Coordinates of all heavy atoms in Angstrom, one line a residue:
S7 N 11.2 -6.9 -17.9 CA 11.8 -7.5 -16.6 C 12.3 -6.4 -15.7 O 12.8 -6.9 -14.6 CB 12.8 -8.5 -16.9 OG 13.9 -7.9 -17.6
R8 N 12.4 -5.3 -16.1 CA 13.0 -4.2 -15.2 C 12.1 -2.9 -15.3 O 12.3 -2.0 -16.0 CB 14.4 -3.7 -15.6 CG 15.1 -2.9 -14.7 CD 16.6 -2.6 -15.0 NE 17.2 -1.8 -14.0 CZ 17.3 -0.5 -14.0 NH1 16.5 0.0 -14.9 NH2 17.9 0.1 -13.0
P9 N 10.8 -3.0 -14.8 CA 9.8 -1.9 -14.9 C 10.2 -0.7 -14.3 O 11.1 -0.6 -13.5 CB 8.5 -2.6 -14.4 CG 9.1 -3.6 -13.2 CD 10.5 -4.0 -13.7
H10 N 9.3 0.4 -14.5 CA 9.3 1.7 -13.9 C 9.3 1.5 -12.4 O 8.5 0.7 -11.9 CB 8.2 2.6 -14.4 CG 8.4 3.1 -15.7 ND1 9.2 4.2 -15.9 CD2 7.8 2.9 -16.9 CE1 9.1 4.6 -17.2 NE2 8.4 3.7 -17.8
R11 N 9.9 2.4 -11.7 CA 9.8 2.5 -10.2 C 9.4 3.9 -10.0 O 9.9 4.9 -10.5 CB 11.2 2.2 -9.6 CG 11.7 0.9 -9.7 CD 10.9 -0.2 -8.8 NE 11.3 -1.5 -8.9 CZ 10.6 -2.5 -9.4 NH1 9.3 -2.2 -10.0 NH2 11.0 -3.8 -9.2
Q12 N 8.3 4.0 -9.1 CA 7.6 5.2 -9.2 C 8.3 6.4 -8.5 O 8.0 7.6 -8.9 CB 6.3 5.0 -8.4 CG 6.3 4.7 -6.9 CD 5.0 4.7 -6.2 OE1 4.0 5.0 -6.9 NE2 5.0 4.4 -5.0
W13 N 9.3 6.2 -7.7 CA 10.2 7.3 -7.1 C 11.2 7.8 -8.0 O 12.0 8.7 -7.7 CB 10.7 7.0 -5.8 CG 9.6 7.1 -4.7 CD1 8.6 6.2 -4.4 CD2 9.2 8.3 -3.9 NE1 7.8 6.7 -3.5 CE2 8.1 8.0 -3.2 CE3 9.8 9.6 -3.9 CZ2 7.5 8.9 -2.4 CZ3 9.2 10.4 -3.0 CH2 8.2 10.2 -2.2
D14 N 11.4 7.2 -9.2 CA 12.5 7.5 -10.1 C 12.0 8.4 -11.3 O 10.8 8.6 -11.4 CB 13.2 6.2 -10.7 CG 13.8 5.5 -9.6 OD1 14.1 6.1 -8.6 OD2 14.0 4.3 -9.9
Y15 N 12.9 8.9 -12.2 CA 12.5 9.5 -13.4 C 11.5 8.8 -14.2 O 11.6 7.5 -14.2 CB 13.9 9.6 -14.3 CG 13.7 10.2 -15.5 CD1 14.1 11.5 -15.8 CD2 13.4 9.4 -16.7 CE1 13.9 12.2 -17.1 CE2 13.1 10.0 -18.0 CZ 13.3 11.4 -18.2 OH 13.3 12.0 -19.3
P16 N 10.5 9.4 -14.7 CA 10.2 10.8 -14.9 C 9.3 11.4 -13.9 O 8.9 12.5 -14.0 CB 9.6 10.8 -16.2 CG 8.7 9.6 -16.2 CD 9.5 8.5 -15.5
N17 N 9.1 10.7 -12.7 CA 8.2 11.2 -11.8 C 8.8 12.2 -10.8 O 10.0 12.2 -10.5 CB 7.6 10.1 -11.0 CG 6.9 9.1 -11.9 OD1 6.3 9.4 -12.9 ND2 6.7 7.9 -11.5
G18 N 7.9 13.1 -10.3 CA 8.3 14.1 -9.3 C 7.3 14.1 -8.1 O 6.1 13.7 -8.4
W19 N 7.7 14.3 -6.9 CA 7.0 14.1 -5.7 C 7.1 15.4 -4.9 O 8.0 16.1 -4.7 CB 7.7 12.9 -4.9 CG 7.4 11.7 -5.6 CD1 8.0 11.2 -6.6 CD2 6.4 10.8 -5.4 NE1 7.6 10.0 -7.0 CE2 6.6 9.6 -6.2 CE3 5.4 10.6 -4.4 CZ2 5.8 8.4 -6.2 CZ3 4.6 9.4 -4.4 CH2 4.8 8.4 -5.3
A20 N 5.9 15.6 -4.1 CA 5.7 16.8 -3.4 C 6.6 16.9 -2.3 O 7.4 17.9 -2.0 CB 4.3 16.8 -2.8
P21 N 7.0 15.9 -1.5 CA 8.0 16.0 -0.3 C 9.4 16.5 -0.8 O 10.1 17.3 -0.2 CB 8.1 14.8 0.4 CG 7.5 13.7 -0.6 CD 6.6 14.5 -1.4
H22 N 9.8 16.0 -2.0 CA 11.1 16.5 -2.6 C 11.1 18.0 -2.8 O 12.1 18.8 -2.5 CB 11.5 15.6 -3.8 CG 11.8 14.3 -3.5 ND1 12.0 13.4 -4.6 CD2 12.2 13.5 -2.4 CE1 12.4 12.1 -4.0 NE2 12.5 12.4 -2.7
Q23 N 10.0 18.4 -3.5 CA 10.0 19.7 -4.0 C 9.8 20.7 -2.6 O 10.7 21.6 -2.7 CB 8.7 20.1 -4.8 CG 8.3 19.0 -5.9 CD 9.3 18.7 -6.9 OE1 9.9 19.6 -7.5 NE2 9.6 17.4 -7.2
M24 N 9.1 20.3 -1.8 CA 8.9 21.2 -0.6 C 10.3 21.3 0.3 O 10.6 22.4 0.7 CB 7.9 20.6 0.4 CG 6.5 20.7 -0.3 SD 5.1 19.8 0.6 CE 4.8 21.0 2.0
M25 N 11.0 20.2 0.3 CA 12.3 20.2 1.0 C 13.3 21.1 0.2 O 14.2 21.8 0.8 CB 12.8 18.8 1.2 CG 12.0 18.1 2.4 SD 12.7 16.4 2.6 CE 14.0 16.7 3.5
I26 N 13.2 20.8 -1.2 CA 14.2 21.6 -2.0 C 14.0 23.2 -1.9 O 14.8 23.9 -1.8 CB 14.0 21.1 -3.4 CG1 14.7 19.7 -3.5 CG2 14.9 22.0 -4.4 CD1 14.4 19.0 -4.8
W27 N 12.7 23.6 -2.0 CA 12.3 24.9 -1.8 C 12.8 25.6 -0.5 O 13.5 26.6 -0.4 CB 10.7 25.1 -1.8 CG 10.2 24.7 -3.0 CD1 10.7 24.4 -4.3 CD2 8.8 24.3 -3.3 NE1 9.8 24.0 -5.2 CE2 8.6 23.9 -4.6 CE3 7.6 24.5 -2.4 CZ2 7.3 23.6 -5.1 CZ3 6.3 24.0 -2.8 CH2 6.2 23.5 -4.2
K28 N 12.7 24.8 0.6 CA 13.1 25.2 1.8 C 14.6 25.4 1.8 O 15.3 26.3 2.5 CB 12.7 24.3 3.0 CG 13.0 24.7 4.4 CD 12.3 25.9 4.9 CE 12.3 26.2 6.4 NZ 13.7 26.4 6.9
G29 N 15.3 24.4 1.3 CA 16.8 24.5 1.2 C 17.3 25.7 0.4 O 18.3 26.3 0.7
L30 N 16.6 25.9 -0.8 CA 16.9 27.1 -1.5 C 16.8 28.4 -0.7 O 17.5 29.4 -0.8 CB 16.2 27.1 -2.8 CG 16.5 26.1 -3.8 CD1 15.6 26.0 -5.0 CD2 17.9 26.0 -4.3
I31 N 15.7 28.4 0.1 CA 15.5 29.7 1.0 C 16.6 29.7 1.9 O 17.2 30.7 2.1 CB 14.2 29.5 1.7 CG1 13.0 29.7 0.8 CG2 14.1 30.6 2.8 CD1 11.7 29.2 1.4
N32 N 17.0 28.7 2.6 CA 18.2 28.6 3.6 C 19.4 29.2 3.1 O 20.1 29.8 3.8 CB 18.4 27.3 4.1 CG 17.3 26.6 4.9 OD1 16.4 27.4 5.3 ND2 17.2 25.2 5.1
Y33 N 19.7 29.0 1.8 CA 20.9 29.4 1.2 C 20.8 30.6 0.3 O 21.8 31.0 -0.3 CB 21.7 28.2 0.6 CG 22.2 27.2 1.5 CD1 21.3 26.2 2.1 CD2 23.5 27.3 2.1 CE1 21.8 25.3 2.9 CE2 23.9 26.4 3.0 CZ 23.1 25.4 3.5 OH 23.4 24.5 4.4
G34 N 19.5 31.2 0.2 CA 19.5 32.4 -0.5 C 19.4 32.4 -2.0 O 19.6 33.2 -2.8
F35 N 18.9 31.2 -2.5 CA 18.9 30.9 -4.0 C 17.5 31.5 -4.4 O 16.5 30.6 -4.8 CB 19.1 29.5 -4.4 CG 20.6 29.1 -4.2 CD1 21.1 28.5 -3.2 CD2 21.6 29.5 -5.1 CE1 22.3 28.2 -2.8 CE2 22.8 29.1 -5.0 CZ 23.3 28.4 -3.9
V36 N 17.2 32.6 -4.6 CA 15.8 33.2 -4.8 C 15.3 33.0 -6.2 O 14.2 32.5 -6.2 CB 15.8 34.8 -4.5 CG1 14.5 35.4 -4.7 CG2 16.2 35.1 -3.0
E37 N 16.1 33.2 -7.2 CA 15.6 33.0 -8.5 C 15.4 31.5 -8.8 O 14.3 31.3 -9.4 CB 16.7 33.5 -9.6 CG 16.8 35.0 -9.6 CD 17.9 35.5 -10.6 OE1 18.3 34.7 -11.3 OE2 18.4 36.7 -10.5
E38 N 16.2 30.7 -8.4 CA 16.1 29.2 -8.6 C 14.7 28.8 -7.8 O 14.0 28.0 -8.3 CB 17.3 28.4 -8.1 CG 18.5 28.6 -8.8 CD 19.3 29.9 -8.5 OE1 18.8 30.7 -7.7 OE2 20.4 30.1 -9.0
L39 N 14.5 29.3 -6.6 CA 13.4 29.1 -5.8 C 12.1 29.4 -6.6 O 11.3 28.6 -6.7 CB 13.4 29.8 -4.5 CG 12.1 29.7 -3.6 CD1 12.0 28.4 -3.0 CD2 12.2 30.8 -2.6
Q40 N 12.0 30.6 -7.0 CA 10.8 31.0 -7.7 C 10.5 30.1 -9.0 O 9.3 29.9 -9.3 CB 11.0 32.5 -8.1 CG 11.0 33.4 -7.0 CD 9.6 33.4 -6.2 OE1 8.5 33.5 -6.7 NE2 9.8 33.2 -4.8
E41 N 11.6 29.7 -9.8 CA 11.4 29.0 -10.9 C 10.9 27.7 -10.6 O 9.9 27.2 -11.3 CB 12.8 28.9 -11.7 CG 12.5 28.0 -13.0 CD 13.7 27.8 -13.9 OE1 14.8 28.6 -13.6 OE2 13.8 27.0 -14.7
L42 N 11.4 27.0 -9.6 CA 11.0 25.7 -9.3 C 9.6 25.6 -8.8 O 8.8 24.6 -9.1 CB 12.0 25.0 -8.3 CG 13.3 24.6 -8.8 CD1 14.2 23.9 -7.8 CD2 13.3 23.9 -10.1
I43 N 9.3 26.6 -7.9 CA 7.9 26.6 -7.4 C 6.9 26.8 -8.6 O 5.9 26.2 -8.6 CB 7.7 27.8 -6.4 CG1 8.5 27.5 -5.1 CG2 6.3 27.9 -6.0 CD1 8.6 28.7 -4.1
Y44 N 7.3 27.8 -9.4 CA 6.3 28.0 -10.6 C 6.1 26.8 -11.4 O 5.0 26.5 -11.9 CB 6.9 29.2 -11.4 CG 5.9 29.7 -12.6 CD1 5.0 30.6 -12.3 CD2 5.8 29.0 -13.7 CE1 4.1 31.0 -13.1 CE2 4.9 29.3 -14.6 CZ 4.0 30.4 -14.3 OH 3.1 30.8 -15.3
R45 N 7.3 26.1 -11.7 CA 7.1 24.9 -12.6 C 6.3 23.9 -11.9 O 5.4 23.3 -12.6 CB 8.5 24.3 -12.8 CG 9.4 25.1 -13.8 CD 10.7 24.5 -14.1 NE 11.5 25.2 -15.1 CZ 11.2 25.3 -16.4 NH1 10.4 24.3 -16.9 NH2 12.0 25.9 -17.2
W46 N 6.4 23.7 -10.6 CA 5.6 22.7 -10.0 C 4.1 23.1 -9.8 O 3.2 22.3 -10.2 CB 6.1 22.3 -8.6 CG 5.4 21.5 -7.7 CD1 4.6 21.6 -6.6 CD2 5.6 20.0 -7.9 NE1 4.2 20.5 -6.1 CE2 4.8 19.4 -6.7 CE3 6.3 19.2 -8.6 CZ2 4.7 18.1 -6.6 CZ3 6.1 17.8 -8.5 CH2 5.3 17.3 -7.6
L47 N 3.9 24.3 -9.5 CA 2.4 24.8 -9.3 C 1.8 24.9 -10.8 O 0.6 24.7 -10.8 CB 2.3 26.2 -8.6 CG 2.8 26.2 -7.3 CD1 2.5 27.5 -6.5 CD2 2.3 25.0 -6.4

C-alpha cells in the first residue's frame, strides 16, 4: 500500500548529479567531484 516512488532511494537521477557536480566545482571540492563523476559514469 506504500509503493516505491521513483525519485527516492535507491534511484539516482541525471539532473541531481549534474547540479551537484557544478556545486562541488563552485566550492572547490575537487576530490569529491572526481569520485562522484566516476561513480556515475
Side-chain angles (χ1 to χ4, degrees):
S7 61
R8 192 178 183 274
H10 280 282
R11 295 291 183 241
Q12 63 173 357
W13 281 86
D14 295 340
Y15 178 95
N17 297 338
W19 291 78
H22 287 167
Q23 318 302 315
M24 294 169 77
M25 290 181 75
I26 290 165
W27 300 342
K28 183 71 165 63
L30 293 173
I31 292 168
N32 288 344
Y33 289 86
F35 291 98
V36 177
E37 289 177 14
E38 292 85 352
L39 170 72
Q40 292 297 310
E41 178 182 349
L42 290 186
I43 294 172
Y44 188 89
R45 287 182 178 280
W46 184 254
L47 296 192

